[in-house]
Amino acid sequence: MYHSQANVRKRLDHYYHCVNAVILNRQNPTTGLIPASVAVTTHGDYRDAWVRDNVYSIMAVFGLALAYRRIDDDEGRAYELEHAVVKLMRGLLFSMMRQVHKVEVFKKTQSLNDCLHAKYNTATGDTVVGDSEWGHLQVDATSIFLLALAQMTASGMLIIYTQDEVDFVQNLVFYIERAYRTPDYGIWERGNKINHGEPELNSSSIGMAVAALQAINGINLFGSRGGPSSVIHVLPDEITRNYTTLHSAMPRESNSKEIDAALLSVIGFPAFAVGDAKLVERTRNEIKEKLGGKYGCKRFLRDGHQTVLENTTRLHYDAHELKIFEGIECEWPLFFTYFILDGLFSENEEQVEEYRAKLEPLIIDSATLVDFGQFISDSMSDSEDGRGQRTPTSGLHTPGGDGKIQHIPLIPELYYVPHHLVDAEKADPHSQARMANDNLPLVWANSLHTLGCLIYENLLSVAEVDPLGRRFNARRTRTNDTVVQIVLLAEDSNLQSMLNMYGLETQTMEQVHPITVSHPQGLKEVYAALGRNNKLGLSGRPKRPIGSLGTSRLYRVQGHLYAFTPHFMDNEEFYLTSDNDYLISIFEQELAFVRQYWVSPGRPTMTILLTHAMLGGLAKSRNFSSQNAGSQHMTTWRKAGLGSTPQKDNKRNLLNFFMQLRSGVCNGVRVRLGRLSEMINTSYIQSLDFLVTKKDIDWVGILRGAANRRKRGSRKLGLNEKQTQAATGGSRTPSNRWSMRRRSSSFGLSLALSSLTTPAVHTEIDGDNYFGTYSQAPTPSEATFPISPVNPAPGPLDVQEPPYTPKKPKKDQTTTFKLRDHEEPRPKGTTDARDAIAEDEEEDEEASDGNDNLGLTLGDPSSMESAMSMLSTSVNLFDQIDLLHYLMSCEGIDYYVTNLEATVKTLLEEVYFKSLQLKLWSIVRQAAGLLHKVVNSLTINITDLVIRQKQITIGSGPTEHFITTPLGPDVLSRIIYDEDFDDVREGPVVQEVLIYLGSFVRADPEMFAGIMRLRTHFLIIALREEISRLNSCDEADAIEHLMQLSPFELKSLLGTVLSGPTLSANATNTLLRNQTSTGAFSGRNVSLTSDSDQSTSTNITSSGPSAMQGAVPIPNLAKGSTTLTIKVQSGGYHSGNFSKILINDCTMSVSSRGINVVVIDPVQCVLIETVSFDTHISEDESDDLARLIDWLHPGLIVACAAKDDCFEHLTVAARLALKQLGSERIDDVKYRDSWCMIGEKGTQPQTGAVEGHKSFTDGPTDAIERAFDLKIYQSKVNDATTPSTTTMTATATTTTPSPSSIAAFVPNSSGRWLRRRKNDGALNRVPDKFYPRVWNILSRSAGFRVGTHFLPRDPIVSEKTPEEFNFALAVENFLGAIVDPAERQIAVETLMVISKIEDRNPGMEVQPEVIDLPLIMREAMEIFWTRWIEEEQEEQEEEQEEEQQQEFSNHEELAQRMFYDLPQEGKEGTLAYLARAVLKLLPYSIDFE
C-alpha cells in the first residue's frame, strides 16, 4: 500500500493518538509500568502490572517509534516513543532486580516459591501478593522480556546501562535455560486446567524460552560501544535441549491441555521458535479446528474462565465441572491479532485479510462509549496508588480533549455466551450471539492490533520489528550435511606409536602446541564466572556439564586458543563409557546430534583424547584358543578363546571404529580426521574474553589444567584378576573364605533380589515361564549366601572371566590403592610349574585362614573385627565389595577402617575403579549403588521421555514413584536411592535403563509407539525373563547374568525387548549370553537366537549378533521385495586404492586398508556386520577375520573387498576361512593385488561364489555383481521349522489336551504371540488412537470393571478430554490392576474390539452399563475352547465320557494360555473370538434408521 509523505504523517499521527490514549496514558510516570487494564470485575483486579502484559503492551509503542524513524520527525515523537519503551523495560528490570535473591536461589532449586513474581504494583514496582499466593512461576513472562530486550537492543535502543545490569540479565538467562524441565503455571497462570495450583510443563513457556535464548545469545547490551564483558552468552546445548523438547511436545500444550491458543505466539510472532514448517502448519490448523470461533479463539478446551456457569466464589474447579464448560468457552479476539501478525510475517496475504475481516466486527469504537475520554484522563489518578476502578460504559459518543469525537478502536478481552443462550450454543456450536466482557480494552490485544495495522499499511516493515530475523526460522531449510571435524590425540608417545602402527594418525598434547587441550571440567569452571556479581549476590552460571555442542567449539582468550575434550567420554562420575562398545554407540549418537543441531558458523571440531585405558596393550600378541568340537557355537566373533582377554577385544572394537572414521562417513555423518592446526581455519571460535575482567578466579590456571581431574589416593586393597571371577547365583567365588548371611537392615541393603525374583504372575506354558511360579525362596531376611573354603563365593554371574593384565602404572604416577593384590587359588593336581612353586605359599595362607566360616549379617556389627581383618587380606574383588557392603551397613560409608587407614567410601571408590578396569560389571554396579552414583544426563533423558508423554515409574509396589514431569538430579537421586531396593545394584541398573530409553526415544521414537508408561522395575523383570527363557536358567541365575552384562549388552537387550511388534514375526531374535559346555561364560558372549527349537537342524538360520552389533535393515529394500543385489569392486594400492561394496545400489561406509566385509542375513533381511580387517598390519586382524567367518551360520551372505593391501599378514587360517565362503582364488592373491568376492557361508569353491582378482600391475578388478532371491532362503527356514505330518497326526490322537495337540487344530504361533503379549504388557503398549477410543466407549457406558477395580464414567469423562494425557494416565492406572502382562494385552484388545464394532456399525451403541472386561475375556476363551473341542471330536470321534473330561471349566488355565498365543487377526484370531463374546454379553441398542 503506497502512501504519500503527507498521508504517512497523517496515518502515523492517527496511531500516535490511539497509542497515547490507550497505552501511554496508562503508563505510570514514576515506574514506567502499565496496568493490564483499569477494570475491576468479579473475575479479578487488573490494575497491577503483569510482566507479560507490559511487554506486549509496549510492542505498539516500539513499532510506532520505529515507524517515526522513517520520516523527518520535527516533533520529537520518535524520541518520545523510544524512551517510553526504554522506561517500561527498565521499570520491569528494576522490579525484577529488587528480587535478585530469588534469581540466585531459583537457578539451583527451580522451586515454586523461589521464582520471580509475575506481577508488580504499577505505581511502585513492589510485589503485590505473597510468594505462595499466586502462580508466579511463569517462565514465558521472563522469557518474553529477554526476547523483547534482544530485539529492541538490536534495533538500536539502549536499555541496559551498567555492568551490574548486564550481569543480572545474564543470570536471567540461567534462570530460564532449564525451562525444558521446569513445570510452571504457564501463560494463563493456572497450571493444570482445574486450577488447583499444580504446575505443568507447558509448551508455550518452553517455546518462549527457546526464542529468548536464541535471540539474546551474542547480543551486546551496550550496543556498538560495548566490549566483551557486556555480551550475553548462551551455551548451545542449553538452547538445543529446550528446542528438541519443544518440538517433541507440540502441538500438545501440557498434560491437561491437548492444545492451547497460546501456541500461536510460539509458532509465529513474537517467538518464531519452531523450526519445522510442517509442525507449524499442524499446530496452526489444530488451533483453528479445535479452538477457533467467530469471536476469537478459546484459550483451551473446557476453559471455564469468565463463563456464566463459572463459580466465582473459588478459583479452582471440581473435576466434574469441566464438562459443563464444553462448547461455551469464552472466545478471545486477542488471538485474531496473532493470526494477522503471523500472516504479515509469513507473507500470507490471504490469512491476513481473512482475520482482519473477522476482527473488524469485534472491535468497539471508542466513540460509542459515554465516558471514554474521562476514563483515559482519570485512569491513573483515581487513587493514590494509581489503581482506579473506572470502566467505560456504552453511550453515543466520546468527546476528545479538543472537542472532536475520537474513533479509537478498542478490543475487548473476550466474548462470552449469555446465560439464556447457553443451551442453544451447546446444541449448535457457534450459532449464538456473544457479549463482550467489562475488561475493555485489553491493552495487550490493542497493542498487537496496532502493530499489525502499522505493518499492513506499510508504515513499518517486519524487518524493523524483527531485526534478528527470527521470522525465517520455520522457512529456513536446515541442512544436515555439516562436516564434523575430529582430532585424535594420544595420551603419550608410546600410545601414539602403537596407533600409528595400525595406520591411525594421532597427535600428542605437546604436538598441538600452542593450542591448549583441556578437560571439559575446565570449561565448566570458567563459565561459572559468567554473570558473577558480588554486589548483587549472584554466583554466575551453575556448574553444570558442558554438552557436545559446547565442547565442539574452539575458544579464544586474549589470542590464545583452547580446545576441550567432550564430556560424554569422561567416566569419572558414572561407569557407562568405560565400556568401549557402549562408548562407540554414544560417540555415533553424539556425532549425529552435533551434525543435526549445529547452527554456528564454521564446522564443529571434536577433540578426542585416546588413552591406554581405552586402547593400551593392543600391540601385544594374543592367544586364540580354538573351541572344542563339543562346545557350543561361539556367539560373538569378537571373542577370543578362554586364554585371551575380553578387554583387548573390546579395545579392538574401539580401534576399528576410529579406523573407519578415515573413510569420511560415520553412520551417515560426514566426518573429517586431521590435525588440530589444520582444523582451526574451518572451526567456530568462541570468545571468552569476558574472563579478563573476572579478577576473582584463576582462569588461566583452570584452562591450562590447574583444575585437573582428581587424583586417587594410595592403594589399600589387594587384587588378583584371575581369582576375581564371576559365578552364577547359588555358587561361590574362589575366595574360599567365609559365609555371609544377608538380611534387610535399617539401611535397606540386601543382595537377595526378592523384588526381582518374586514373580509377578503365573503364566507357565511348556516350560516358557515368563515371570516364573511364585517363589518359595526365603525372604531377604532369611536368604543365606555362604562362602566357604570348598566353593566359590556368591558372584553376580556364572562366568569364568579370562585372565587380564592391565597396564602397570608408571613409577611417577600417584594412583595407588589400599587393598592387596589378588592371588588366584591353584587347582589341586596341576602340572603348571608356577603352581608348584606357589603351592607351599598358598597352603600356608590357607592354613592361616583355617577359621574361614565366618557368618556376616548386614547391619549386625558383631563381626566387625573379623570382617576388617578379612578385608585386609582379601585379594578377590567380589569378596572385597561384599565385606565393604557389610561394613557400610553396620557403621556407614564414612566409617574409618583402621587397619587399612581409609574410610569405607575411599575403599569403595578403589574397588569401583579396579572393577572398571577389569570390566566386572556386577561389582561396578554394586559399588556404584553403595556410593550413590548418579549419571549426569539422567535428567535430560527423563525429560526426553516425559515430554513425549511417557510416564516413568521407579520402584515397585506401594513405594513405586510415578514421574510425569522432569525432575532435577537431586530429586532423582533421592528417589532412586531412597527406594528400598532389595539389591543395591538395581539403583544403577534403573539409571542405565532410563539412559537407554532416552537414547532410544531420541533416535527412534516409533519404537515407543503405543507405550505411555515405562515401569523400570518391570522392564528389568522383562530383561531377566529374556535371559531366563533363552538360557533355561532359574530367576536367580538370570538376575546375576543380567547384572554382569556390559552397558552395551544391556542396552542391546533392552532394545530387543522394546521391539514389540516384531517379536511375533517369523523367527524372532533376542539377545542372550551363551553358556559354554562347562556352564561358564567367556567375557562378552552375546548372540541372537531364534525362537524356534534350538535343536532344529537347518542350514539357514538367523545369525547371532544382528541386534547386538547394530543390525540394520537391508538398504533400499522396498516393502514386499525379495530381491537383494550386491555389487563389489576392489583396487589395490597401485590400482586406485579403493574398495566398493554396494547393497541394492547403496554404498556401504566401509573402506579401510585390508579386507572390508559386509555380512547379510537373508532370512531376517538385515545387515549383521560392516567391518574392516587390516590384514596388512597384523596377523591378529587375520585371526579376527577367521573368527568372524567361523562364527557365521551357514547360509549367511558375505561381500568382501580388499583395499591397499590385504596380503602382508593374511594367515593360513584366514585363507581357509575365506574358502568356507566359496573363494577359490584367495591363494593366488599377492602383495597389493586387487581382490573381491561375493560368497555364502557353507558354499564350496566353484559352486556359487562370485570372485574377482587382478595382479597389482593389472589395475582394479571388474565390478562383480550377484542377485539373491531372499524368498528362497526364508522358505528353507519355514520348511525346516514346519511340524511333520506324522507329528501332527500323533498329536491329534492324544486324548489329553495339551499345547501340542491344540496346535494341530487352531492357529498357533509357537509361543511368539505369547511372548509379544508378555513384552507389550510389561511395556504397557497400546494400539494407535487407543485412549480416544476408550474415552468414547467410557462416555457411553457406566464404566469398566476388572475384579474389584472400577473406572467410572464420571467424573473421568466430565473432567478429561479424549486426547488429554491425564486421561491416558487414568486408563493406565486402571489397567495396572491386571498383574499378568499377557492378560493386560488381551484386555486392551477387548476394548479395541468394542470400539471397532461401534465404528463399523454406527447404529449400534453400548448401553450405559458397567463393562466387565474379565467376563468378556473368559467368554472368548470358552468360545475358543469349544471350537477346538468340536474340531477334535470330528477328527477323533471321542466317546461321551472323554467329552466331559474336556469341558472348559476343567481346563480353563490351559485354554487361557493357548488363547494368549493366538494371533490377533484372522478367523481364528483373538479379535474374532473377542468380538463374538462382546456381541453375546454386552447390551447394545440398535438404531435401524
Side-chain angles (χ1 to χ4, degrees), residues 366-386:
S366 64
T368 65
L369 302 178
V370 174
D371 55 351
F372 183 73
Q374 184 180 2
F375 161 71
I376 292 298
S377 61
D378 294 345
S379 62
M380 299 306 299
S381 59
D382 283 346
S383 63
E384 294 182 358
D385 63 355

Side-chain angles (χ1 to χ4, degrees), residues 815-1122:
T815 304
T816 55
F817 303 105
K818 300 286 185 181
L819 301 177
R820 291 186 55 196
D821 285 336
H822 185 94
E823 298 176 2
E824 181 181 12
R826 304 296 177 186
K828 299 297 181 181
T830 180
T831 57
D832 194 323
R834 290 171 297 178
D835 290 346
I837 295 173
E839 184 175 348
D840 291 338
E841 297 178 6
E842 292 187 0
E843 288 179 354
D844 291 342
E845 184 177 353
E846 290 182 4
S848 64
D849 297 330
N851 54 348
D852 288 335
N853 257 349
L854 174 65
L856 300 176
T857 302
L858 292 179
D860 179 6
S862 60
S863 302
M864 287 284 295
E865 292 298 326
S866 300
M868 287 189 290
S869 175
M870 292 294 181
L871 183 62
S872 62
T873 60
S874 171
V875 290
N876 183 289
L877 284 175
F878 287 100
D879 295 348
Q880 291 171 4
I881 190 65
D882 284 344
L883 285 166
L884 290 171
H885 191 172
Y886 166 75
L887 294 178
M888 178 177 169
S889 72
C890 296
E891 299 293 340
I893 197 169
D894 295 320
Y895 177 70
Y896 189 77
V897 183
T898 54
N899 54 340
L900 290 173
E901 299 180 348
T903 63
V904 171
K905 182 177 181 179
T906 301
L907 298 176
L908 281 172
E909 290 281 5
E910 179 179 328
V911 171
Y912 176 76
F913 174 73
K914 290 178 179 178
S915 57
L916 273 180
Q917 304 303 307
L918 296 176
K919 314 302 181 191
L920 297 174
W921 300 110
S922 177
I923 302 178
V924 170
R925 291 182 174 108
Q926 188 173 350
L930 293 172
L931 291 167
H932 287 192
K933 288 186 175 289
V934 178
V935 64
N936 281 321
S937 58
L938 189 60
T939 295
I940 297 171
N941 284 279
I942 286 181
T943 301
D944 287 334
L945 291 166
V946 300
I947 198 62
R948 291 171 171 86
Q949 286 75 57
K950 311 299 178 189
Q951 186 187 46
I952 300 167
T953 73
I954 296 176
S956 60
T959 60
E960 188 172 18
H961 295 274
F962 292 82
I963 301 174
T964 56
T965 58
L967 300 175
D970 294 339
V971 177
L972 288 172
S973 178
R974 289 196 298 270
I975 289 176
I976 291 172
Y977 288 113
D978 287 351
E979 176 67 29
D980 189 16
F981 289 127
D982 292 315
D983 188 328
V984 72
R985 297 171 296 182
E986 189 173 349
V989 172
V990 164
Q991 295 183 63
E992 286 189 60
V993 168
L994 292 173
I995 294 296
Y996 305 151
L997 290 174
S999 172
F1000 289 142
V1001 81
R1002 287 189 297 269
D1004 185 13
E1006 294 302 317
M1007 182 183 290
F1008 292 80
I1011 300 176
M1012 195 207 70
R1013 175 176 291 178
L1014 295 163
R1015 306 174 75 177
T1016 55
H1017 180 78
F1018 288 94
L1019 281 173
I1020 295 173
I1021 288 179
L1023 296 174
R1024 180 205 74 190
E1025 290 306 318
E1026 282 296 293
I1027 296 173
S1028 178
R1029 181 181 64 84
L1030 293 165
N1031 285 350
S1032 300
C1033 59
D1034 60 23
E1035 294 174 355
D1037 285 354
I1039 294 164
E1040 299 302 332
H1041 285 58
L1042 174 65
M1043 293 299 174
Q1044 185 61 19
L1045 291 177
S1046 72
F1048 181 71
E1049 291 168 341
L1050 185 57
K1051 180 181 179 182
S1052 301
L1053 180 57
L1054 180 61
T1056 301
V1057 171
L1058 282 171
S1059 60
T1062 64
L1063 293 176
S1064 58
N1066 300 322
T1068 308
N1069 296 328
T1070 195
L1071 283 161
L1072 78 160
R1073 280 178 166 263
N1074 184 47
Q1075 287 181 283
T1076 65
S1077 57
T1078 62
F1081 287 79
S1082 178
R1084 179 173 168 263
N1085 279 343
V1086 179
S1087 73
L1088 290 169
T1089 301
S1090 173
D1091 257 0
S1092 57
D1093 189 351
Q1094 298 299 313
S1095 64
T1096 302
S1097 174
T1098 178
N1099 291 327
I1100 311 285
T1101 62
S1102 176
S1103 167
S1106 298
M1108 179 199 67
Q1109 300 298 343
V1112 296
I1114 294 176
N1116 296 340
L1117 186 65
K1119 186 175 181 180
S1121 174
T1122 59

Side-chain angles (χ1 to χ4, degrees), residues 792-813:
L797 183 59
D798 191 7
V799 172
Q800 293 292 331
E801 284 289 350
Y804 170 68
T805 305
K807 173 178 165 291
K808 294 183 178 180
K810 297 178 181 179
K811 293 182 180 180
D812 58 346
Q813 288 182 339

Side-chain angles (χ1 to χ4, degrees), residues 561-761:
L561 288 178
Y562 297 88
F564 294 90
T565 57
H567 183 269
F568 70 85
M569 297 193 70
D570 179 24
N571 62 3
E572 289 274 337
E573 299 183 20
F574 210 68
Y575 54 81
L576 294 180
T577 52
S578 294
D579 176 17
N580 279 354
D581 287 329
Y582 180 78
L583 182 60
I584 292 171
S585 69
I586 292 299
F587 199 103
E588 292 172 340
Q589 290 177 19
E590 293 298 322
L591 283 176
F593 173 80
V594 170
R595 187 273 306 269
Q596 183 174 0
Y597 295 109
W598 183 262
V599 294
S600 302
R603 293 174 175 175
T605 303
M606 300 183 74
T607 306
I608 308 301
L609 179 62
L610 305 179
T611 65
H612 286 279
M614 295 180 187
L615 297 168
L618 280 171
K620 298 179 181 179
S621 61
R622 299 185 298 173
N623 176 25
F624 297 99
S625 302
S626 60
Q627 295 191 4
N628 298 328
S631 66
Q632 296 186 15
H633 183 73
M634 288 192 69
T635 55
T636 172
W637 65 271
R638 286 184 170 90
K639 285 289 128 201
L642 294 176
S644 71
T645 61
Q647 292 82 1
K648 192 171 296 181
D649 295 294
N650 189 269
K651 293 176 180 179
R652 297 187 72 81
N653 297 342
L654 186 60
L655 175 63
N656 289 336
F657 170 75
F658 286 120
M659 297 281 283
Q660 290 177 9
L661 294 179
R662 299 179 303 176
S663 67
V665 179
C666 177
N667 275 4
V669 179
R670 296 168 59 199
V671 298
R672 177 194 172 201
L673 284 180
R675 295 175 175 269
L676 187 54
S677 59
E678 299 170 353
M679 305 291 190
I680 293 177
N681 291 336
T682 52
S683 298
Y684 174 71
I685 302 177
Q686 173 71 39
S687 172
L688 293 179
D689 284 333
F690 71 87
L691 292 171
V692 177
T693 62
K694 304 296 181 181
K695 305 300 183 182
D696 53 345
I697 66 167
D698 179 19
W699 58 267
V700 176
I702 293 173
L703 290 177
R704 298 190 178 182
N708 207 347
R709 305 170 108 164
R710 66 179 184 272
K711 300 183 183 297
R712 290 175 166 67
S714 59
R715 181 174 63 183
K716 299 293 184 182
L717 300 174
L719 173 66
N720 183 300
E721 300 96 27
K722 293 183 179 181
Q723 201 173 43
T724 299
Q725 304 175 59
T728 55
S731 59
R732 300 163 178 83
T733 55
S735 62
N736 304 330
R737 296 288 181 226
W738 67 93
S739 63
M740 180 181 290
R741 181 179 178 86
R742 308 187 182 219
R743 61 176 175 83
S744 298
S745 68
S746 59
F747 292 84
L749 297 171
S750 172
L751 294 185
L753 280 142
S754 63
S755 64
L756 294 179
T757 56
T758 300
V761 68

Side-chain angles (χ1 to χ4, degrees), residues 65-116:
L66 297 176
Y68 267 108
R69 283 183 181 179
R70 289 183 166 192
I71 64 175
D72 295 330
D73 177 22
D74 56 0
E75 297 182 15
R77 286 182 175 173
Y79 185 88
E80 174 194 355
L81 294 170
E82 285 184 17
H83 284 78
V85 175
V86 172
K87 186 172 184 64
L88 180 137
M89 294 295 290
R90 290 189 59 79
L92 291 175
L93 179 69
F94 171 75
S95 297
M96 289 188 283
M97 288 186 70
R98 294 174 71 175
Q99 292 192 303
V100 65
H101 60 284
K102 286 183 169 291
V103 175
E104 176 61 24
V105 176
F106 186 83
K107 288 188 302 182
K108 304 176 179 64
T109 66
Q110 279 86 49
S111 171
L112 298 177
N113 292 330
D114 295 332
C115 64
L116 289 170

Side-chain angles (χ1 to χ4, degrees), residues 1 3 8 12 15 59-70 269 341 344-345 450-466:
M1 183 183 297
H3 292 287
V8 167
L12 288 179
Y15 286 117
M59 288 289 185
V61 184
F62 172 58
L64 189 59
L66 297 176
Y68 267 108
R69 283 183 181 179
R70 289 183 166 192
F269 179 84
L341 286 168
L344 290 168
F345 277 86
T450 301
L451 183 64
C453 289
L454 289 170
I455 299 172
Y456 180 77
E457 296 183 29
N458 284 334
L459 302 173
L460 181 68
S461 70
V462 293
E464 291 172 291
V465 181
D466 179 30

